[in-house]
Amino acid sequence: MKVKIINESSFSLPKYETNGSAGLDLQASIKEPIELKPLDRVLVPTGIFLSIPKGYEGQIRGRSGLALKHGITLANGIGTIDSDYRGEIKIILINLGKENFIINQGDRIAQLVFMKYEKVDFEEVDFLDDTHRGIGGFGHTGI
Ligand SMILES: O=c1ccn([C@H]2C[C@H](O)[C@@H](COP(=O)(O)OP(=O)(O)OP(=O)(O)O)O2)c(=O)[nH]1
Ligand SMILES: [Mg+2]
């Protein structure tokens, strides 16, 4: 995959921390540390620009350690990086913890997983096929 890196200071390509890691850790590429107060959101640049092959997307996911220890998570749940996006990958962090959190240059703030996806064509109809579940959802089978 083609990758362009424009970092605030030089660091290596995103990498898988272990052989079996699904996610590549993404680092903050920032001039100054960012202080994130409780419930603050911030868009953090990573210095990474990608040309993802057609038929794949990049998923930005949080890091469990940051979420558990500091309440730092993604404001958009899972970020979607489209294959035709040529801008810088940025991470939308939110502080759901009770303490201020400092992000420093080079901190690993999120991870990137590549996924194949399917596209569909819609056929508009008046009635959908019956199923046992029907319109039941949102806990209708019990908690
Ligand atoms: O966490 C994220 C989510 C998105 N993006 C970039 C890549 C993605 O291809 C583009 C658009 O993302 P999305 O479709 O989620 O945002 P939108 O609000 O629908 O913007 P747009 O109208 O540009 O599609 O923004 C990121 O860098 N980080
Ligand atoms: Mg969009």
Side-chain angles (χ1 to χ4, degrees), residues 113-129:
V113 177
F114 293 104
M115 307 279 291
K116 273 187 182 167
Y117 65 86
E118 303 289 340
K119 290 181 78 166
V120 299
D121 292 318
F122 284 114
E123 176 198 351
E124 196 174 349
V125 296
D126 291 327
F127 300 99
L128 299 173
D129 54 308

Side-chain angles (χ1 to χ4, degrees), residues 43 60 76 78-85 88-92:
L43 190 61
I60 305 291
N76 51 342
I78 293 179
T80 304
I81 310 300
D82 300 292
S83 66
D84 56 357
Y85 179 68
E88 183 172 11
I89 294 180
K90 296 185 182 178
I91 312 298
I92 312 166

Side-chain angles (χ1 to χ4, degrees), residues 19-135:
N19 267 347
S21 291
L24 294 147
D25 284 340
L26 295 173
Q27 294 173 270
S29 171
I30 48 181
K31 285 195 189 88
E32 309 270 318
I34 299 171
E35 183 167 20
L36 208 54
K37 296 191 181 78
L39 294 183
D40 271 3
R41 294 190 300 279
V42 68
L43 190 61
V44 186
T46 64
I48 301 293
F49 300 68
L50 293 176
S51 178
I52 300 176
K54 244 180 140 182
Y56 289 80
E57 56 145 344
Q59 292 192 354
I60 305 291
R61 302 188 191 167
R63 295 188 64 213
S64 62
L66 286 180
L68 180 64
K69 292 178 199 154
H70 304 288
I72 298 297
T73 181
L74 305 184
N76 51 342
I78 293 179
T80 304
I81 310 300
D82 300 292
S83 66
D84 56 357
Y85 179 68
R86 295 292 173 270
E88 183 172 11
I89 294 180
K90 296 185 182 178
I91 312 298
I92 312 166
L93 291 182
I94 184 166
N95 182 358
L96 299 180
K98 292 179 181 157
E99 314 285 339
N100 292 1
F101 182 77
I102 310 274
I103 304 160
N104 291 298
Q105 160 70 7
D107 282 355
R108 290 177 294 138
I109 50 171
Q111 57 188 321
L112 172 61
V113 177
F114 293 104
M115 307 279 291
K116 273 187 182 167
Y117 65 86
E118 303 289 340
K119 290 181 78 166
V120 299
D121 292 318
F122 284 114
E123 176 198 351
E124 196 174 349
V125 296
D126 291 327
F127 300 99
L128 299 173
D129 54 308
D130 272 336
T131 69
H132 181 61
R133 172 183 287 274
I135 62 167

Side-chain angles (χ1 to χ4, degrees), residues 1-15 26-27 29 46-50 87-89 105:
M1 188 179 306
K2 292 202 169 74
V3 56
K4 185 173 85 174
I5 304 181
I6 302 178
N7 266 315
E8 285 305 328
S9 75
S10 61
F11 46 80
S12 51
L13 288 172
K15 65 172 196 289
L26 295 173
Q27 294 173 270
S29 171
T46 64
I48 301 293
F49 300 68
L50 293 176
E88 183 172 11
I89 294 180
Q105 160 70 7

